[in-house]
Amino acid sequence: MNKPLEHRILGLDIGARSVGWAIIDQTADGDQLVAAGARVFPLGVDENDQYRSRNVKRREARLRRRLLARRRMRLHAVRTLLQRNGFLPENPPDPSDASWQAVLGLNPYDCRAKALRSRLDPYEFGRAIFHIAHRRGFKSNRRESSEDEERGVVKAEIRRLDEDMRRAGAETLGEYLASLNPHEQRLRGRYTSRDWYRHEFDLIIERQQNLGLHLPETFVHALRRAIFFQRKVWWDPASIGRCPFEPRRLRIRASHPLYQRFRLLQAANHLAVRSFGGVSQKLTEEQRKTVIELLERNEKVSFAELRKALSLKRGFTFNLEEGGEKEIKGNVTACRIRSAIGAKWDEAPEPIRAAIYEAVASIEDEDLLKDLALKKPWGLTPDEAEKLSEITLEDDHGALSSKAIRRLLPHLEHGLSYAEAVQRVYPNQGTEPQVDRLPPVEDLRNPTAQRAMTEMRRVVNAILQKYGLPGKIRLELARDLKKPKAARVEMWEAMRKRAAEREKAREQIINKAGISNPSPADIEKALLFEECGGICPYTGNGISFRDLFGPHPLVEVEHIIPWSRSLDNSFANKTLCRRDANREKRDKTPFEAFSGDKERYEAILSRVKKFKSPYAMEKLRRFQCENPEGPETGLLVWTGADLHATSLAARRAAEYLGRLYPPEERKSRIQVSAGRTTAQLRSAWNLNRILGIADEKNREDHRHHAIDAIVVALTTPALTRELTLAASRAQRPGTYTGMALPPALYQQIEHHIRTMLVSHRVDRRVQGSLHNESHYGIIRKNGKTLVVIRKALTDLSEDDIDKIVDDRIRELVRAAAAGGNPRKVFADPARRPVLPTKSGRAIPIRRVRIESGKIAADNLIRLEPARNVAGGGNHHAEIFETRDKRGQPSWRVVVVSRFEAMRRKRFGEPIIRRVDESGNPLVCSLCIGDTVLMRHDGAEKFYVVQRLSERDYNFREVSDGRPATKIHDPIRIRSADKLRQFGLTKLSVDPLGEYRRAHD
């Protein structure tokens, strides 16, 4: 095994889309920077979901394609059965064929209604049944998902339509729709139930058989199965993931009663109460039992409800609130089943409860579950069985297997924490043998964390090969990797809400204070003013909005717990304060400064209790804090022994990296540091200046990841005290005095950062969307070929009205819009235009054809049957060396779409051609993310390919970390020969940023 280099430290800054790394050598002359770098790996994030990876979207696309293929197979089977029995023409469907014209000319709704009263002709019967096969209605799969809200809307619409059918006296859906005027009410686009179609099918078969239509039983059975049979979507059980403690076992369902009990016991045993002085205390046994009982009877319990149940006064908080959590999950499964069948769930013996749970968790068909619940000896009434079939359970899996939970559960029942229980049951956990290289990452079931860990592995293995095994590894994880998906989404929503509040405060400052360009500090003052209601919490005096600004403001921003003692410069540690009160408080906490005067201190707390902001409770706690140097308010630097206190992602990363060392050394070799410490040290050492911004981190430069990694590598527990002393010596909050890096080390860092090459991961796989989902039409108008697309009136913009290709429709729409916004105007169906016909009918206009000027007819992809779609994007560009008419070298670029790349792969052709159709050799190929060396503006620099299209090749500097939507000045090159003149050279860059010329 590799022997650790004791003097060498590896720092890692692991983010959702990047890995920063740095190697520090501790020598007798001080710390020396050996190397540093950054690896970037974009995930293809969807703007509506910050955490949906490209793999998730691919799985969804595959599922859609699979469902569409099954629908085509189903319709083909139904059509074949009808054709073989003489109910449809035998030849393939063709609108120009006379026999098919006769069938397609029949109104399917009239055929379905007529089938209940009169005998149908064979083709009428075929038309009615084939129409039912196209629309089978909604069938719930009883699985809890993000679409539950939409599912509720669907069921509400189905109930409303059912009531309309009853009022109209219609026996079937087809009879009801046939009674409506299609020019007054829309027939399609309604939410319908699968049961209605089954009922209508059976009723049509029964009535037609009674009326003499020959329908053999085998034919009817095959037809019913072809229309209504629905195969379960297959998934690989191994994708659930394996238990870390019992590797041969799969993870348990989160809805399982065993896991539900395990989860609530884990939360109850970890729960601690934080008192006024900031001291945390574990629950007493009586309090713990109260919490467990409350969680058993409720799906979720808020912390406010917990305080009330435990008779805690206002101001007491819980340790689990620190991450922004609002509630604790209870026994969701038991509560939902109890809501359906009442006390019968609690009174049933364990075998019966297990049988009920297994039925609810495994049966997706509501009707099947309802029938089973009535047949089984569970003692349920029809109403209870109906309610039981409608509930949904959590559709997820826990982190452990049922075997591991059964072994851990007795210890949790006795009040042990999860970490203590694991130590007793699995004392040898984490004793995997030492390895020379990190093995492949196990499936984390979180695509963001999976990609980050995989790229970290590549970087670390490359470091081991070149620089050897470090004596210590220090790492920091980004916030978005530390939290589960639900918490990350909530965090992003809170950030967006906060951004809206800041924008509102900015407008107030401009309008009320007359400051045209408010600074971040001005906006913070306005937000603090809104929070305290314009009253100084220390004096009770009123504050006007204008008092906040100007060269000599009467009001200051004050740190509740002094900056020099907490190093906390966040909004949660700030409030407004009149200058005289701030001078009186000085470098003390509110408790230390004012608790001697009990009446005044109580008045201060009463004013703080009236604060209006998400931070009100936290600020009240700080006003009441007696011990600011306690562990809850101090800086955090975790060592391996304390990893149970960090997030799951940090534990996984530390355990994974620990496999490089012997089991007995892992806790001392791996350290996880807090992000706040890194930010403060970066500021104290003036490292932000290297990338051009003095007081804040320049996130628009990828090299900031390497700077963070350097700080992480240099961070030690001893620096906590040194940082506190430097802050106490400073005259201004947020600054540090007497704490600087040695000049030689600072120069090394600056040199490495300015000369490093950021490594970009390039995805050259041929997968993804081959074409977009919109269908285009090609028409001829006034001698021109136009590409058109159909749009609903409610989706039109004001400019789209002028692009409507049908002249008469365009004028009707323009007149109806009357200069207003079409989306708002046509949201009211009564305001939509109608097209009068010669026969006197008025046809409502719902969709129109508009000209699509963004795509040419030649660039459309022709799909069968008769569909034109636009390509889903370009895969790569091929650059070939040619000769011009004078025999001089020239370049020719061929942009290859993803559709064409997939076609080449499918037929076994080279995805990247070595020669073109004329025999010209390949210079290189370019994909999004490829790194190139190129002369531009008189200097040779490294660039990354940002976008590729015909005669438009966009590049950005390799360290540019801005999102593509914010890069308004990319390097745009419009001709292939310009690329040659600029000396474009494609590079192959390894994870450590070392490069060579690519030869592809």
Side-chain angles (χ1 to χ4, degrees), residues 501-515 518 522-523 525-530 545-546 548-549:
E501 291 173 354
R502 294 182 69 85
E503 183 60 29
K504 181 180 177 181
R506 182 178 179 275
E507 293 176 359
Q508 284 183 331
I509 296 170
I510 295 173
N511 297 330
K512 294 183 179 181
I515 300 175
D522 294 334
I523 294 173
K525 284 182 181 180
L527 292 173
L528 291 170
F529 175 85
E530 193 73 24
F545 197 79
R546 290 183 174 273
L548 305 177
F549 311 103

PDB file of all heavy atoms in Angstrom, residues 501-515 518 522-523 525-530 545-546 548-549:
ATOM      1  N   GLU A 501     -37.676  40.429  -2.275  1.00  0.00           N
ATOM      2  CA  GLU A 501     -37.730  41.384  -1.166  1.00  0.00           C
ATOM      3  C   GLU A 501     -36.634  42.441  -1.308  1.00  0.00           C
ATOM      4  O   GLU A 501     -36.866  43.626  -1.027  1.00  0.00           O
ATOM      5  CB  GLU A 501     -37.578  40.647   0.169  1.00  0.00           C
ATOM      6  CG  GLU A 501     -38.770  39.766   0.516  1.00  0.00           C
ATOM      7  CD  GLU A 501     -38.513  38.930   1.758  1.00  0.00           C
ATOM      8  OE1 GLU A 501     -37.359  38.963   2.257  1.00  0.00           O
ATOM      9  OE2 GLU A 501     -39.445  38.245   2.223  1.00  0.00           O
ATOM     10  N   ARG A 502     -35.459  42.028  -1.727  1.00  0.00           N
ATOM     11  CA  ARG A 502     -34.356  42.984  -1.910  1.00  0.00           C
ATOM     12  C   ARG A 502     -34.665  43.968  -3.035  1.00  0.00           C
ATOM     13  O   ARG A 502     -34.351  45.146  -2.953  1.00  0.00           O
ATOM     14  CB  ARG A 502     -33.057  42.241  -2.189  1.00  0.00           C
ATOM     15  CG  ARG A 502     -32.557  41.405  -1.010  1.00  0.00           C
ATOM     16  CD  ARG A 502     -31.236  40.714  -1.335  1.00  0.00           C
ATOM     17  NE  ARG A 502     -30.169  41.679  -1.449  1.00  0.00           N
ATOM     18  CZ  ARG A 502     -29.462  42.162  -0.433  1.00  0.00           C
ATOM     19  NH1 ARG A 502     -29.736  41.746   0.802  1.00  0.00           N
ATOM     20  NH2 ARG A 502     -28.497  43.024  -0.622  1.00  0.00           N
ATOM     21  N   GLU A 503     -35.304  43.465  -4.100  1.00  0.00           N
ATOM     22  CA  GLU A 503     -35.656  44.357  -5.202  1.00  0.00           C
ATOM     23  C   GLU A 503     -36.708  45.366  -4.763  1.00  0.00           C
ATOM     24  O   GLU A 503     -36.654  46.551  -5.132  1.00  0.00           O
ATOM     25  CB  GLU A 503     -36.179  43.522  -6.378  1.00  0.00           C
ATOM     26  CG  GLU A 503     -36.518  44.329  -7.618  1.00  0.00           C
ATOM     27  CD  GLU A 503     -35.328  45.087  -8.183  1.00  0.00           C
ATOM     28  OE1 GLU A 503     -34.184  44.623  -8.006  1.00  0.00           O
ATOM     29  OE2 GLU A 503     -35.550  46.169  -8.778  1.00  0.00           O
ATOM     30  N   LYS A 504     -37.663  44.921  -3.946  1.00  0.00           N
ATOM     31  CA  LYS A 504     -38.678  45.830  -3.414  1.00  0.00           C
ATOM     32  C   LYS A 504     -38.036  46.890  -2.529  1.00  0.00           C
ATOM     33  O   LYS A 504     -38.383  48.081  -2.596  1.00  0.00           O
ATOM     34  CB  LYS A 504     -39.717  45.032  -2.635  1.00  0.00           C
ATOM     35  CG  LYS A 504     -40.843  45.882  -2.055  1.00  0.00           C
ATOM     36  CD  LYS A 504     -41.829  45.009  -1.297  1.00  0.00           C
ATOM     37  CE  LYS A 504     -42.924  45.862  -0.642  1.00  0.00           C
ATOM     38  NZ  LYS A 504     -43.876  45.018   0.128  1.00  0.00           N
ATOM     39  N   ALA A 505     -37.084  46.469  -1.676  1.00  0.00           N
ATOM     40  CA  ALA A 505     -36.378  47.422  -0.807  1.00  0.00           C
ATOM     41  C   ALA A 505     -35.577  48.415  -1.638  1.00  0.00           C
ATOM     42  O   ALA A 505     -35.499  49.608  -1.302  1.00  0.00           O
ATOM     43  CB  ALA A 505     -35.464  46.660   0.147  1.00  0.00           C
ATOM     44  N   ARG A 506     -35.005  47.951  -2.716  1.00  0.00           N
ATOM     45  CA  ARG A 506     -34.226  48.837  -3.589  1.00  0.00           C
ATOM     46  C   ARG A 506     -35.108  49.941  -4.183  1.00  0.00           C
ATOM     47  O   ARG A 506     -34.722  51.118  -4.225  1.00  0.00           O
ATOM     48  CB  ARG A 506     -33.580  47.998  -4.697  1.00  0.00           C
ATOM     49  CG  ARG A 506     -32.700  48.776  -5.650  1.00  0.00           C
ATOM     50  CD  ARG A 506     -32.063  47.837  -6.678  1.00  0.00           C
ATOM     51  NE  ARG A 506     -31.238  48.584  -7.591  1.00  0.00           N
ATOM     52  CZ  ARG A 506     -31.683  49.187  -8.681  1.00  0.00           C
ATOM     53  NH1 ARG A 506     -32.991  49.128  -8.976  1.00  0.00           N
ATOM     54  NH2 ARG A 506     -30.873  49.874  -9.464  1.00  0.00           N
ATOM     55  N   GLU A 507     -36.304  49.559  -4.617  1.00  0.00           N
ATOM     56  CA  GLU A 507     -37.219  50.560  -5.177  1.00  0.00           C
ATOM     57  C   GLU A 507     -37.655  51.558  -4.115  1.00  0.00           C
ATOM     58  O   GLU A 507     -37.808  52.753  -4.403  1.00  0.00           O
ATOM     59  CB  GLU A 507     -38.436  49.843  -5.776  1.00  0.00           C
ATOM     60  CG  GLU A 507     -38.104  48.990  -6.998  1.00  0.00           C
ATOM     61  CD  GLU A 507     -39.310  48.233  -7.501  1.00  0.00           C
ATOM     62  OE1 GLU A 507     -40.390  48.368  -6.884  1.00  0.00           O
ATOM     63  OE2 GLU A 507     -39.181  47.486  -8.503  1.00  0.00           O
ATOM     64  N   GLN A 508     -37.851  51.101  -2.883  1.00  0.00           N
ATOM     65  CA  GLN A 508     -38.225  52.016  -1.802  1.00  0.00           C
ATOM     66  C   GLN A 508     -37.123  53.036  -1.536  1.00  0.00           C
ATOM     67  O   GLN A 508     -37.395  54.219  -1.311  1.00  0.00           O
ATOM     68  CB  GLN A 508     -38.506  51.217  -0.521  1.00  0.00           C
ATOM     69  CG  GLN A 508     -39.847  50.506  -0.515  1.00  0.00           C
ATOM     70  CD  GLN A 508     -40.088  49.805   0.810  1.00  0.00           C
ATOM     71  OE1 GLN A 508     -39.153  49.393   1.483  1.00  0.00           O
ATOM     72  NE2 GLN A 508     -41.348  49.665   1.180  1.00  0.00           N
ATOM     73  N   ILE A 509     -35.891  52.587  -1.559  1.00  0.00           N
ATOM     74  CA  ILE A 509     -34.773  53.499  -1.319  1.00  0.00           C
ATOM     75  C   ILE A 509     -34.707  54.555  -2.417  1.00  0.00           C
ATOM     76  O   ILE A 509     -34.494  55.738  -2.160  1.00  0.00           O
ATOM     77  CB  ILE A 509     -33.451  52.716  -1.234  1.00  0.00           C
ATOM     78  CG1 ILE A 509     -33.485  51.784  -0.017  1.00  0.00           C
ATOM     79  CG2 ILE A 509     -32.260  53.649  -1.142  1.00  0.00           C
ATOM     80  CD1 ILE A 509     -32.327  50.799   0.030  1.00  0.00           C
ATOM     81  N   ILE A 510     -34.907  54.119  -3.659  1.00  0.00           N
ATOM     82  CA  ILE A 510     -34.862  55.067  -4.781  1.00  0.00           C
ATOM     83  C   ILE A 510     -35.979  56.100  -4.664  1.00  0.00           C
ATOM     84  O   ILE A 510     -35.760  57.301  -4.844  1.00  0.00           O
ATOM     85  CB  ILE A 510     -34.969  54.305  -6.120  1.00  0.00           C
ATOM     86  CG1 ILE A 510     -33.731  53.414  -6.320  1.00  0.00           C
ATOM     87  CG2 ILE A 510     -35.124  55.271  -7.287  1.00  0.00           C
ATOM     88  CD1 ILE A 510     -33.827  52.496  -7.522  1.00  0.00           C
ATOM     89  N   ASN A 511     -37.187  55.644  -4.304  1.00  0.00           N
ATOM     90  CA  ASN A 511     -38.343  56.544  -4.260  1.00  0.00           C
ATOM     91  C   ASN A 511     -38.374  57.411  -3.008  1.00  0.00           C
ATOM     92  O   ASN A 511     -38.721  58.596  -3.077  1.00  0.00           O
ATOM     93  CB  ASN A 511     -39.640  55.722  -4.353  1.00  0.00           C
ATOM     94  CG  ASN A 511     -39.749  54.966  -5.672  1.00  0.00           C
ATOM     95  OD1 ASN A 511     -39.225  55.424  -6.689  1.00  0.00           O
ATOM     96  ND2 ASN A 511     -40.401  53.821  -5.651  1.00  0.00           N
ATOM     97  N   LYS A 512     -38.020  56.838  -1.846  1.00  0.00           N
ATOM     98  CA  LYS A 512     -38.160  57.567  -0.589  1.00  0.00           C
ATOM     99  C   LYS A 512     -36.899  58.312  -0.168  1.00  0.00           C
ATOM    100  O   LYS A 512     -36.984  59.390   0.418  1.00  0.00           O
ATOM    101  CB  LYS A 512     -38.574  56.602   0.527  1.00  0.00           C
ATOM    102  CG  LYS A 512     -39.965  56.002   0.344  1.00  0.00           C
ATOM    103  CD  LYS A 512     -40.316  55.109   1.532  1.00  0.00           C
ATOM    104  CE  LYS A 512     -41.711  54.518   1.391  1.00  0.00           C
ATOM    105  NZ  LYS A 512     -42.069  53.658   2.552  1.00  0.00           N
ATOM    106  N   ALA A 513     -35.733  57.704  -0.418  1.00  0.00           N
ATOM    107  CA  ALA A 513     -34.484  58.327   0.029  1.00  0.00           C
ATOM    108  C   ALA A 513     -33.767  59.065  -1.081  1.00  0.00           C
ATOM    109  O   ALA A 513     -32.787  59.780  -0.811  1.00  0.00           O
ATOM    110  CB  ALA A 513     -33.565  57.270   0.631  1.00  0.00           C
ATOM    111  N   GLY A 514     -34.208  58.889  -2.323  1.00  0.00           N
ATOM    112  CA  GLY A 514     -33.602  59.617  -3.429  1.00  0.00           C
ATOM    113  C   GLY A 514     -32.227  59.130  -3.811  1.00  0.00           C
ATOM    114  O   GLY A 514     -31.457  59.865  -4.441  1.00  0.00           O
ATOM    115  N   ILE A 515     -31.879  57.885  -3.454  1.00  0.00           N
ATOM    116  CA  ILE A 515     -30.580  57.313  -3.827  1.00  0.00           C
ATOM    117  C   ILE A 515     -30.777  56.522  -5.111  1.00  0.00           C
ATOM    118  O   ILE A 515     -31.510  55.537  -5.143  1.00  0.00           O
ATOM    119  CB  ILE A 515     -30.043  56.408  -2.698  1.00  0.00           C
ATOM    120  CG1 ILE A 515     -29.880  57.218  -1.411  1.00  0.00           C
ATOM    121  CG2 ILE A 515     -28.722  55.766  -3.102  1.00  0.00           C
ATOM    122  CD1 ILE A 515     -29.463  56.378  -0.221  1.00  0.00           C
ATOM    123  N   PRO A 518     -28.717  52.289  -5.004  1.00  0.00           N
ATOM    124  CA  PRO A 518     -28.491  51.823  -3.632  1.00  0.00           C
ATOM    125  C   PRO A 518     -27.446  50.708  -3.578  1.00  0.00           C
ATOM    126  O   PRO A 518     -27.407  49.824  -4.438  1.00  0.00           O
ATOM    127  CB  PRO A 518     -29.866  51.286  -3.211  1.00  0.00           C
ATOM    128  CG  PRO A 518     -30.832  51.883  -4.175  1.00  0.00           C
ATOM    129  CD  PRO A 518     -30.095  52.061  -5.455  1.00  0.00           C
ATOM    130  N   ASP A 522     -27.121  49.534   1.814  1.00  0.00           N
ATOM    131  CA  ASP A 522     -28.355  50.317   1.891  1.00  0.00           C
ATOM    132  C   ASP A 522     -29.584  49.409   1.866  1.00  0.00           C
ATOM    133  O   ASP A 522     -30.540  49.612   2.619  1.00  0.00           O
ATOM    134  CB  ASP A 522     -28.428  51.308   0.726  1.00  0.00           C
ATOM    135  CG  ASP A 522     -27.355  52.385   0.808  1.00  0.00           C
ATOM    136  OD1 ASP A 522     -26.904  52.683   1.928  1.00  0.00           O
ATOM    137  OD2 ASP A 522     -26.971  52.916  -0.249  1.00  0.00           O
ATOM    138  N   ILE A 523     -29.561  48.410   1.000  1.00  0.00           N
ATOM    139  CA  ILE A 523     -30.688  47.486   0.894  1.00  0.00           C
ATOM    140  C   ILE A 523     -30.845  46.700   2.188  1.00  0.00           C
ATOM    141  O   ILE A 523     -31.964  46.464   2.658  1.00  0.00           O
ATOM    142  CB  ILE A 523     -30.484  46.541  -0.312  1.00  0.00           C
ATOM    143  CG1 ILE A 523     -30.535  47.348  -1.618  1.00  0.00           C
ATOM    144  CG2 ILE A 523     -31.524  45.432  -0.330  1.00  0.00           C
ATOM    145  CD1 ILE A 523     -30.192  46.549  -2.850  1.00  0.00           C
ATOM    146  N   LYS A 525     -30.082  47.725   5.167  1.00  0.00           N
ATOM    147  CA  LYS A 525     -30.689  48.633   6.148  1.00  0.00           C
ATOM    148  C   LYS A 525     -32.205  48.703   5.961  1.00  0.00           C
ATOM    149  O   LYS A 525     -32.966  48.691   6.932  1.00  0.00           O
ATOM    150  CB  LYS A 525     -30.090  50.041   6.009  1.00  0.00           C
ATOM    151  CG  LYS A 525     -28.701  50.193   6.588  1.00  0.00           C
ATOM    152  CD  LYS A 525     -28.243  51.635   6.437  1.00  0.00           C
ATOM    153  CE  LYS A 525     -26.846  51.853   6.984  1.00  0.00           C
ATOM    154  NZ  LYS A 525     -26.407  53.248   6.831  1.00  0.00           N
ATOM    155  N   ALA A 526     -32.637  48.792   4.704  1.00  0.00           N
ATOM    156  CA  ALA A 526     -34.067  48.877   4.433  1.00  0.00           C
ATOM    157  C   ALA A 526     -34.797  47.608   4.878  1.00  0.00           C
ATOM    158  O   ALA A 526     -35.909  47.669   5.413  1.00  0.00           O
ATOM    159  CB  ALA A 526     -34.302  49.131   2.938  1.00  0.00           C
ATOM    160  N   LEU A 527     -34.167  46.452   4.684  1.00  0.00           N
ATOM    161  CA  LEU A 527     -34.781  45.195   5.116  1.00  0.00           C
ATOM    162  C   LEU A 527     -34.846  45.107   6.642  1.00  0.00           C
ATOM    163  O   LEU A 527     -35.838  44.634   7.213  1.00  0.00           O
ATOM    164  CB  LEU A 527     -33.988  44.007   4.554  1.00  0.00           C
ATOM    165  CG  LEU A 527     -34.050  43.811   3.032  1.00  0.00           C
ATOM    166  CD1 LEU A 527     -33.097  42.703   2.596  1.00  0.00           C
ATOM    167  CD2 LEU A 527     -35.462  43.484   2.579  1.00  0.00           C
ATOM    168  N   LEU A 528     -33.805  45.582   7.321  1.00  0.00           N
ATOM    169  CA  LEU A 528     -33.814  45.594   8.781  1.00  0.00           C
ATOM    170  C   LEU A 528     -34.862  46.576   9.311  1.00  0.00           C
ATOM    171  O   LEU A 528     -35.497  46.319  10.341  1.00  0.00           O
ATOM    172  CB  LEU A 528     -32.421  45.961   9.311  1.00  0.00           C
ATOM    173  CG  LEU A 528     -31.328  44.903   9.094  1.00  0.00           C
ATOM    174  CD1 LEU A 528     -29.960  45.486   9.445  1.00  0.00           C
ATOM    175  CD2 LEU A 528     -31.600  43.666   9.927  1.00  0.00           C
ATOM    176  N   PHE A 529     -35.052  47.689   8.603  1.00  0.00           N
ATOM    177  CA  PHE A 529     -36.077  48.662   8.976  1.00  0.00           C
ATOM    178  C   PHE A 529     -37.463  48.028   8.877  1.00  0.00           C
ATOM    179  O   PHE A 529     -38.311  48.202   9.757  1.00  0.00           O
ATOM    180  CB  PHE A 529     -35.973  49.883   8.053  1.00  0.00           C
ATOM    181  CG  PHE A 529     -37.060  50.903   8.254  1.00  0.00           C
ATOM    182  CD1 PHE A 529     -36.950  51.874   9.239  1.00  0.00           C
ATOM    183  CD2 PHE A 529     -38.205  50.897   7.461  1.00  0.00           C
ATOM    184  CE1 PHE A 529     -37.957  52.808   9.432  1.00  0.00           C
ATOM    185  CE2 PHE A 529     -39.209  51.819   7.647  1.00  0.00           C
ATOM    186  CZ  PHE A 529     -39.082  52.786   8.632  1.00  0.00           C
ATOM    187  N   GLU A 530     -37.686  47.265   7.794  1.00  0.00           N
ATOM    188  CA  GLU A 530     -38.971  46.588   7.609  1.00  0.00           C
ATOM    189  C   GLU A 530     -39.186  45.552   8.712  1.00  0.00           C
ATOM    190  O   GLU A 530     -40.305  45.371   9.208  1.00  0.00           O
ATOM    191  CB  GLU A 530     -38.994  45.906   6.236  1.00  0.00           C
ATOM    192  CG  GLU A 530     -40.349  45.445   5.779  1.00  0.00           C
ATOM    193  CD  GLU A 530     -41.252  46.588   5.350  1.00  0.00           C
ATOM    194  OE1 GLU A 530     -40.719  47.653   4.968  1.00  0.00           O
ATOM    195  OE2 GLU A 530     -42.478  46.404   5.418  1.00  0.00           O
ATOM    196  N   PHE A 545     -37.458  56.443   7.788  1.00  0.00           N
ATOM    197  CA  PHE A 545     -36.723  55.795   6.698  1.00  0.00           C
ATOM    198  C   PHE A 545     -35.497  56.606   6.299  1.00  0.00           C
ATOM    199  O   PHE A 545     -34.446  56.060   5.986  1.00  0.00           O
ATOM    200  CB  PHE A 545     -37.661  55.620   5.498  1.00  0.00           C
ATOM    201  CG  PHE A 545     -37.161  54.620   4.481  1.00  0.00           C
ATOM    202  CD1 PHE A 545     -37.299  53.260   4.703  1.00  0.00           C
ATOM    203  CD2 PHE A 545     -36.549  55.045   3.314  1.00  0.00           C
ATOM    204  CE1 PHE A 545     -36.841  52.331   3.775  1.00  0.00           C
ATOM    205  CE2 PHE A 545     -36.091  54.140   2.382  1.00  0.00           C
ATOM    206  CZ  PHE A 545     -36.244  52.775   2.616  1.00  0.00           C
ATOM    207  N   ARG A 546     -35.602  57.934   6.360  1.00  0.00           N
ATOM    208  CA  ARG A 546     -34.484  58.786   5.961  1.00  0.00           C
ATOM    209  C   ARG A 546     -33.341  58.762   6.972  1.00  0.00           C
ATOM    210  O   ARG A 546     -32.212  59.117   6.661  1.00  0.00           O
ATOM    211  CB  ARG A 546     -34.954  60.219   5.740  1.00  0.00           C
ATOM    212  CG  ARG A 546     -35.837  60.375   4.493  1.00  0.00           C
ATOM    213  CD  ARG A 546     -36.220  61.841   4.272  1.00  0.00           C
ATOM    214  NE  ARG A 546     -36.946  62.008   3.022  1.00  0.00           N
ATOM    215  CZ  ARG A 546     -36.356  62.206   1.852  1.00  0.00           C
ATOM    216  NH1 ARG A 546     -35.037  62.249   1.778  1.00  0.00           N
ATOM    217  NH2 ARG A 546     -37.066  62.355   0.753  1.00  0.00           N
ATOM    218  N   LEU A 548     -31.874  56.316   7.996  1.00  0.00           N
ATOM    219  CA  LEU A 548     -30.956  55.216   7.701  1.00  0.00           C
ATOM    220  C   LEU A 548     -29.814  55.619   6.798  1.00  0.00           C
ATOM    221  O   LEU A 548     -28.783  54.942   6.754  1.00  0.00           O
ATOM    222  CB  LEU A 548     -31.725  54.070   7.027  1.00  0.00           C
ATOM    223  CG  LEU A 548     -32.948  53.511   7.759  1.00  0.00           C
ATOM    224  CD1 LEU A 548     -33.609  52.447   6.902  1.00  0.00           C
ATOM    225  CD2 LEU A 548     -32.552  52.949   9.099  1.00  0.00           C
ATOM    226  N   PHE A 549     -29.975  56.716   6.042  1.00  0.00           N
ATOM    227  CA  PHE A 549     -29.032  57.032   4.975  1.00  0.00           C
ATOM    228  C   PHE A 549     -28.404  58.411   5.192  1.00  0.00           C
ATOM    229  O   PHE A 549     -28.801  59.173   6.065  1.00  0.00           O
ATOM    230  CB  PHE A 549     -29.737  56.970   3.613  1.00  0.00           C
ATOM    231  CG  PHE A 549     -30.533  55.703   3.421  1.00  0.00           C
ATOM    232  CD1 PHE A 549     -31.915  55.702   3.543  1.00  0.00           C
ATOM    233  CD2 PHE A 549     -29.893  54.506   3.163  1.00  0.00           C
ATOM    234  CE1 PHE A 549     -32.647  54.541   3.398  1.00  0.00           C
ATOM    235  CE2 PHE A 549     -30.618  53.330   3.017  1.00  0.00           C
ATOM    236  CZ  PHE A 549     -31.998  53.353   3.125  1.00  0.00           C
TER     237      PHE A 549
END
